[in-house]
Amino acid sequence: MKPARFFRSIRFRIAVWCSLAVAAVAIAALVGLRQTIRWTLTHEVDQALLEDGDEVGLVLTELGPEGLEAVADELGRKATGHRQHRWFVRLIADDDTIVWQSASAADSPALAGDGPLQTSGEYRLYGTDAPTNRVGVARMELGAWLAPLQDDLKRIDRTVVGATVLMLLLAPLCGYWLAGLATRDLAAITAQAARMRPSKLDERLPERGVGDELDRLAHTVNRLLDRIADFIEEKRNFLANAAHELRTPIAAIRSSAEVSLAADRTVGEYRELLEQIIEDSESLEVLVNQVLLLSEAVASQDATPRNTVDFSQVVSRAVDMFRGVAESRQIELHANIQPQVQVRGVRQHLVQVANNLIDNALKYTPEGGQATVELVATESGEARLEVVDSGIGIDPADVPRVFERFFRADRARQRCGQGGTGLGLSICQTIVDAHDGSIECRSTPGSGTQLEVRLPLAVPTNSA
Ligand code: ATP
Ligand code: MG
């Protein structure tokens, strides 16, 4: 890893934060411990001096009547007993002259300034008034050498410094190692993501199934990849189907042209072949237009500005446009259109929906049949367009598939001989979806089909 990348890595940053946190806690804990020990030891020395003060006071009152020698004997013995601590006592008269002091007191400092307990150089000193006595002692000073205690503290200091240095060395290493454990799976995900190819739609990130944050991230990305794969798959199928559908009219045009060139023909024959070519070109044009419309409807879902569209007018015009076709096929076309049903959307797309539904109703209804177009604004604030016919119907197994691109039920082709491209209803569904609406198909084979479109009203009728 390059140095710049290493310093930016999560692993490095976790290691640094972890080290800083461990170091701060460790230093605070060790310094706190050292101060507590220091305070405890000093407190113990002070307690001992206070108790010794009481004891010296007792010696003065009890042995005082026997004279200074008896007092000195007793205190001298005590001082000898505490020789290693250089314990001393000094008895002072009212006029600040020393009445008596233990041998070790000669080199020790005197009490200075305020406060009964003081530290002077290497000594801890305690001064207090003497109890009433017969040897003329007004005050007494006691002291003990602090060097052993300071040695203990120095040893503790050395341990504290050693432990702190060890912590400072170990914390980054441990932090780096722990951060490595934590980010190991992230590295695996990154490596797998880097290996993924757009051509392999089934590749996914590893999920360990432990349900942690990384698993949730991998799961979310995988679901996104699922949706992208479905989308690409759909596009591939669409392209393959479109190419397949285009082949038929192109092949027909080509064979008509080849037939016309194969031999000398009469003008009538040429005319017939050219008419055939024009007819095939027209179906080619219809197909290309529908493919374009479909891709435009998908692409412009968010881009095309929405206007308030008079859906009643759109549907009425579509019905009027198909009246001629209905008449020529001897189908009764009824319209029941509530006026002023307004929806928000793209007018030319909504025109396409109405046209496709009426076209199907007429195309898949045999002569003498009926088709009804009804448009109402419902109480629930929707525009409901229903196109019902008394035609050949759709097999129940095919009903869910009629919105698939290029789907044509065999039944329809066999019975009516009306070859469509199979894009009409999928165009309707794409447009209706883009308008936040819904489309449903209900059908009974042999007795008819009902297509129902629901779109949100631009202005609810109850408030209009
Ligand atoms: P086109 O792209 O020209 O509309 P199409 O009509 O075949 O072609 P769709 O409108 O998408 O395509 O319809 C898909 C299939 O659903 C039709 O081929 C037909 O089998 C069936 N279908 C649709 N509407 C009806 C209907 N009203 N009655 C019976 N079958 C229908
Ligand atoms: Mg159709």
Side-chain angles (χ1 to χ4, degrees):
M1 204 189 285
K2 285 183 193 153
R5 247 170 94 182
F6 172 75
F7 290 122
R8 277 203 307 271
S9 69
I10 292 184
R11 187 174 184 183
F12 174 74
R13 279 183 284 161
I14 292 180
V16 168
W17 284 113
C18 179
S19 313
L20 290 179
V22 169
V25 171
I27 291 172
L30 291 172
V31 169
L33 182 72
R34 185 221 181 247
Q35 288 304 101
T36 309
I37 293 173
R38 181 196 174 90
W39 181 86
T40 309
L41 292 179
T42 313
H43 183 71
E44 264 177 29
V45 171
D46 289 351
Q47 277 310 111
L49 284 175
L50 289 172
E51 280 167 20
D52 290 344
D54 292 345
E55 203 181 321
V56 172
L58 266 174
V59 170
L60 279 176
T61 44
E62 282 176 8
L63 297 182
E66 292 173 28
L68 186 61
E69 218 163 298
V71 171
D73 267 1
E74 181 60 30
L75 294 181
R77 249 198 311 279
K78 185 169 170 63
T80 315
H82 293 312
R83 222 181 4 240
Q84 74 275 26
H85 289 119
R86 298 198 190 165
W87 187 89
F88 73 89
V89 58
R90 192 178 284 135
L91 304 176
I92 301 162
D94 238 352
D95 58 359
D96 285 345
T97 54
I98 295 171
V99 178
W100 178 85
Q101 63 181 10
S102 59
S104 52
D107 312 325
S108 60
L111 207 68
D114 293 334
L117 285 161
Q118 296 174 8
T119 301
S120 175
E122 290 187 316
Y123 281 86
R124 187 73 176 158
L125 306 173
Y126 171 53
T128 183
D129 292 337
T132 318
N133 58 76
R134 300 249 181 111
V135 284
V137 175
R139 284 185 300 112
M140 47 198 198
E141 284 178 16
L142 296 88
W145 196 38
L146 287 178
L149 183 146
Q150 278 163 353
D151 282 348
D152 286 347
L153 281 176
K154 273 183 196 143
R155 260 196 302 279
I156 289 171
D157 282 350
R158 276 197 296 276
T159 312
V160 165
V161 169
T164 307
V165 169
L166 198 67
M167 292 272 185
L168 288 176
L169 287 176
L170 284 182
L173 295 177
C174 286
Y176 190 69
W177 177 66
L178 285 175
L181 283 186
T183 55
R184 194 178 48 192
D185 296 318
L186 189 64
I189 288 178
T190 312
Q192 172 65 15
R195 277 196 300 271
M196 285 163 101
R197 290 149 295 177
S199 56
K200 294 272 176 197
L201 292 179
D202 55 343
E203 286 177 336
R204 295 290 177 272
L205 298 178
E207 287 182 44
R208 293 156 302 140
V210 292
D212 61 4
E213 289 86 342
L214 289 181
D215 242 11
R216 287 207 295 279
L217 173 71
H219 183 76
T220 310
V221 173
N222 284 343
R223 293 301 75 77
L224 172 69
L225 292 174
D226 286 348
R227 292 195 294 278
I228 292 175
D230 287 349
F231 183 72
I232 293 176
E233 193 61 37
E234 200 186 318
K235 289 267 168 273
R236 273 185 192 163
N237 288 340
F238 179 60
L239 202 61
N241 285 335
H244 184 82
E245 293 296 323
L246 287 169
R247 264 196 347 213
T248 316
I250 290 174
I253 291 170
R254 187 194 169 123
S255 79
S256 297
E258 279 170 354
V259 168
S260 62
L261 286 178
D264 287 341
R265 302 192 181 275
T266 62
V267 174
E269 281 173 332
Y270 278 127
R271 183 179 292 278
E272 205 177 299
L273 284 165
L274 284 175
E275 277 168 3
Q276 184 61 46
I277 288 177
I278 290 173
E279 202 178 295
D280 291 335
S281 306
E282 274 169 1
S283 61
L284 190 62
E285 199 180 337
V286 169
L287 179 63
V288 170
N289 282 342
Q290 280 186 316
V291 170
L292 279 178
L293 183 79
L294 198 56
S295 62
E296 185 205 339
V298 173
S300 65
Q301 270 182 24
D302 300 318
T304 315
R306 305 277 174 97
N307 300 312
T308 302
V309 178
D310 187 344
F311 200 31
S312 307
Q313 198 190 56
V314 166
V315 177
S316 296
R317 284 195 183 164
V319 171
D320 291 344
M321 198 177 87
F322 279 97
R323 280 211 190 278
V325 182
E327 229 167 78
S328 71
R329 303 207 57 220
Q330 288 162 29
I331 297 169
E332 277 180 44
L333 178 58
H334 302 286
N336 183 7
I337 296 164
Q338 182 182 325
Q340 295 288 312
V341 178
Q342 315 267 1
V343 295
R344 276 194 75 73
V346 184
R347 188 185 179 87
Q348 87 223 45
H349 289 174
L350 295 172
V351 167
Q352 198 66 42
V353 172
N355 286 351
N356 285 354
L357 296 185
I358 301 171
D359 177 51
N360 281 355
L362 299 181
K363 210 156 63 173
Y364 303 113
T365 301
E367 287 187 0
Q370 290 186 355
T372 308
V373 179
E374 190 179 89
L375 175 69
V376 288
T378 66
E379 290 284 303
S380 54
E382 285 174 321
R384 195 185 69 214
L385 170 67
E386 258 181 16
V387 179
V388 185
D389 63 58
S390 64
I392 56 170
I394 307 166
D395 259 5
D398 289 339
V399 170
R401 303 192 56 200
V402 292
F403 298 108
E404 285 177 19
R405 287 165 187 182
F406 296 106
F407 176 79
R408 279 162 291 182
D410 283 342
R411 200 183 155 80
R413 277 182 282 179
Q414 287 161 10
R415 299 267 306 264
C416 285
Q418 302 280 343
T421 55
L423 284 175
L425 287 181
S426 76
I427 291 174
C428 290
Q429 190 179 45
T430 307
I431 294 173
V432 169
D433 283 351
H435 284 74
D436 304 320
S438 63
I439 181 165
E440 262 182 61
C441 173
R442 287 180 280 271
S443 185
T444 315
S447 66
T449 304
Q450 179 193 14
L451 261 295
E452 184 189 278
V453 170
R454 285 170 179 270
L455 296 171
L457 284 175
V459 182
T461 42
N462 46 11
S463 67

